[in-house]
Amino acid sequence: MMLQQLLNGMALGMAYALIAVGYTLVFGILRLVNFSHGAVYAFGAHMVVFFIGMNFGLLPAVVFGILLSGLLGVLIDKIALNPLRKKKSPNISALITTIGVSYIIQNLLVLGFGSGRKSFPKLIETRSIMIGDAQITNIQLLMLVVSVVLFLSLTVLVKYTKIGLAMRAVEQHETNAALMGIPTSFIISFTFFLGGLTAAIASVLIGSHYEIVYPTMGMMIGLKAFSAAVLGGIGVFYGSIVGGLLIGLTEALAATWFGAEYRDSVAFIVLILVLILRPMGLFGKKGLNKV
Amino acid sequence: MILEVKDVYTSYGHIHALRGVDLVINEGEIISLIGANGAGKSTLLGSIAGIHPTRKGDIFYNGEKITKNRPHQLVKKGISMVVEGRGIFPRLSVEENIRIGAYIINNRQVVHNTMDKIYTLFPRLSERKHQQAGTLSGGEQQMLAIGRALMSQPKLLLLDEPSLGLAPKLVKIIFEMIQTINKEGISILLIEQNANLALSISDRTYVLENGEITLSGASKDLRHHEGIKKAYLGEVLDNTSQEVIQSFQASNL
């Protein structure tokens, strides 16, 4: 029973971690909490459903859905956020804008697809795997594997590639990065593209686990993933994984010990406690001042 | 003529930082720009490098109009700038800082060779390449900033107060470096607070006051200019600085 809860918590936690990494990516570069992330997540799942409805076949539908979500990320930045940056408006305006954008996307999804729940196709035939007397589905395992692969690739990208180096330079000082010959707008767009991609990958995996999608599906999970990112130290990749796992596990355990109705609040209680003790999150770094 | 600034106006909001500036840099020259704080020196460099868009006037680089170019496009064309306060990335390693200077160069071999050259020029940086750049001393950071700016293989180097906050000995090293770089065929536009130093290292000097060029000419002539002497050469110098200046004056005759 305990093992079962741990497994459930882990699978759920990896899902949070997958979404959390999108918050961390954008925050890491722009110091901006992108609250439209949850809506992009919902958008991704709906696009996959849409393309399947258009008889694209499962795999192309998934690929197109994910790519379109990446482009939506870029579009959000270009239309709503870039003009604010150009006017050097305070970060709080950009933050409020992302909340607004999030509702616009959700409403558009309601307009296009209706507000009800739609069934999401199974990516693979569900099978249960027994570990002792606990069971885990192959989709949950897939979630785990994809998350780990995604984290590793993002870490390699940011740490060891030229574009990753450029991303870190833009994070530290945009103007100085431009003076190095870095096309900073492109780097920022690329970051939003990656953010959109990861959101959609998460929603495809989670959608096929629960087998339903709906326009507001990204609200609660987006908030929890954001908590996971903050818990681990926003801006730090592995922080997102640990934060996601912690929130997933506490939720699963809280559901068994106190009953399922308390699961949401327990996640946030953990967040608040950690932040009281470590305001920068578990692995967050205190901002090193510019020299 | 590698650079021509023609009647340039730049403003921040309601403040007119530059009011009709004309300036010319010929290939291979070291030009210094002197003037009081707030005269608009940094703004002029920023306008050339594309970070402070001009309101009026034009800037030409090798005859091509570059007024509306973005900073990263100008780096590609061969203009590299070291900002005041060095502008290094403190949380990247020394080597990463240098590597990012070569962002526009796609040939790995070229990057590798240029990096070797920078390390030969500044052995200190090679010793510290895995250290976080923010932990370097002021002088080392200045070396890093200049070395990094050379990674893009510029034809024109803009230096905003490279001597700022450095001990006289380090100033000497940095200024000798600037001469070495210049001898390799890189034209240099230099902002320098210390007018003596500025006049001794450069071929020509421009004096900027309240956003306007009030005086310009060959540096060796300006050294004897009464107005310059009165306004900028009054300060008492310590021995090392004097030594530095004399050695430059001797080599520039």
Side-chain angles (χ1 to χ4, degrees), chain A residues 26-44:
Chain A
V26 171
F27 184 87
I29 305 296
L30 293 175
R31 298 279 164 246
L32 165 73
V33 178
N34 174 19
F35 276 116
S36 67
H37 197 57
V40 176
Y41 166 89
F43 174 85

Side-chain angles (χ1 to χ4, degrees), chain A residues 90-152:
Chain A
N91 258 1
I92 191 81
S93 323
L95 186 127
I96 302 292
T97 302
T98 63
I99 295 177
V101 166
S102 142
Y103 281 97
I104 293 170
I105 294 171
Q106 283 179 29
N107 283 356
L108 288 176
L109 288 177
V110 172
L111 264 177
F113 299 89
S115 60
R117 292 166 177 244
K118 291 150 285 280
S119 72
F120 193 85
K122 287 178 188 170
L123 286 183
I124 43 178
E125 204 49 51
T126 317
R127 261 194 233 122
S128 294
I129 299 153
M130 299 301 290
I131 303 174
D133 29 325
Q135 63 165 3
I136 187 167
T137 68
N138 50 357
I139 291 190
Q140 282 176 311
L141 267 184
L142 186 70
M143 261 154 79
L144 259 169
V145 172
V146 171
S147 308
V148 170
V149 169
L150 203 64
F151 288 126
L152 290 180

Side-chain angles (χ1 to χ4, degrees), chain B residues 110-156:
Chain B
V110 174
V111 175
H112 188 81
N113 294 345
T114 323
M115 203 187 263
D116 278 349
K117 233 175 90 184
I118 303 297
Y119 281 146
T120 328
L121 207 59
F122 302 104
R124 289 292 280 239
L125 298 181
S126 172
E127 288 161 28
R128 289 163 196 262
K129 58 181 161 192
H130 300 302
Q131 221 166 297
Q132 278 212 335
T135 65
L136 296 182
S137 72
E140 289 163 346
Q141 289 191 9
Q142 191 63 61
M143 293 177 193
L144 176 58
I146 294 176
R148 185 181 67 172
L150 293 175
M151 286 300 291
S152 61
Q153 304 191 313
K155 297 281 173 297
L156 173 64

Side-chain angles (χ1 to χ4, degrees), chain B residues 192-209:
Chain B
E192 177 50 56
Q193 277 285 333
N194 183 330
N196 266 310
L197 201 53
L199 288 170
S200 52
I201 195 180
S202 57
D203 301 300
R204 289 187 300 119
T205 296
Y206 286 84
V207 181
L208 195 61
E209 279 171 1

Side-chain angles (χ1 to χ4, degrees), chain A residues 1-229:
Chain A
M1 187 62 186
M2 185 67 182
L3 181 66
Q4 180 65 59
Q5 290 313 320
L6 286 178
L7 284 178
N8 288 348
M10 215 160 77
L12 192 61
M14 282 320 264
Y16 292 154
L18 259 178
I19 307 169
V21 82
Y23 284 105
T24 272
L25 254 176
V26 171
F27 184 87
I29 305 296
L30 293 175
R31 298 279 164 246
L32 165 73
V33 178
N34 174 19
F35 276 116
S36 67
H37 197 57
V40 176
Y41 166 89
F43 174 85
H46 281 79
M47 284 303 112
V48 174
V49 170
F50 170 73
F51 284 127
I52 287 175
M54 303 282 283
N55 288 324
F56 266 61
L58 185 61
L59 190 66
V62 167
V63 171
F64 277 129
I66 290 174
L67 286 179
L68 263 186
S69 307
L71 290 181
L72 179 65
V74 176
L75 208 66
I76 292 171
D77 178 54
K78 288 280 178 218
I79 294 177
L81 300 174
N82 190 37
L84 292 177
R85 264 201 309 282
K86 270 196 176 150
K87 293 203 163 147
K88 298 198 165 52
S89 56
N91 258 1
I92 191 81
S93 323
L95 186 127
I96 302 292
T97 302
T98 63
I99 295 177
V101 166
S102 142
Y103 281 97
I104 293 170
I105 294 171
Q106 283 179 29
N107 283 356
L108 288 176
L109 288 177
V110 172
L111 264 177
F113 299 89
S115 60
R117 292 166 177 244
K118 291 150 285 280
S119 72
F120 193 85
K122 287 178 188 170
L123 286 183
I124 43 178
E125 204 49 51
T126 317
R127 261 194 233 122
S128 294
I129 299 153
M130 299 301 290
I131 303 174
D133 29 325
Q135 63 165 3
I136 187 167
T137 68
N138 50 357
I139 291 190
Q140 282 176 311
L141 267 184
L142 186 70
M143 261 154 79
L144 259 169
V145 172
V146 171
S147 308
V148 170
V149 169
L150 203 64
F151 288 126
L152 290 180
S153 353
L154 283 174
T155 306
V156 168
L157 178 91
V158 170
K159 279 214 153 143
Y160 302 106
T161 67
K162 192 167 167 179
I163 197 160
L165 185 58
M167 285 164 79
R168 285 183 288 150
V170 171
E171 178 242 313
Q172 293 188 31
H173 201 294
E174 201 183 324
T175 308
N176 287 342
L179 285 173
M180 298 294 106
I182 298 170
T184 50
S185 319
F186 169 76
I187 297 291
I188 291 169
S189 291
F190 179 73
T191 308
F192 274 93
F193 182 74
L194 284 181
L197 282 193
T198 53
I201 292 173
S203 72
V204 166
L205 287 170
I206 296 166
S208 66
H209 174 58
Y210 292 118
E211 295 174 37
I212 43 166
V213 297
Y214 49 98
T216 53
M217 66 189 278
M219 289 293 266
M220 196 44 152
I221 204 167
L223 212 52
K224 282 187 193 161
F226 172 61
S227 311

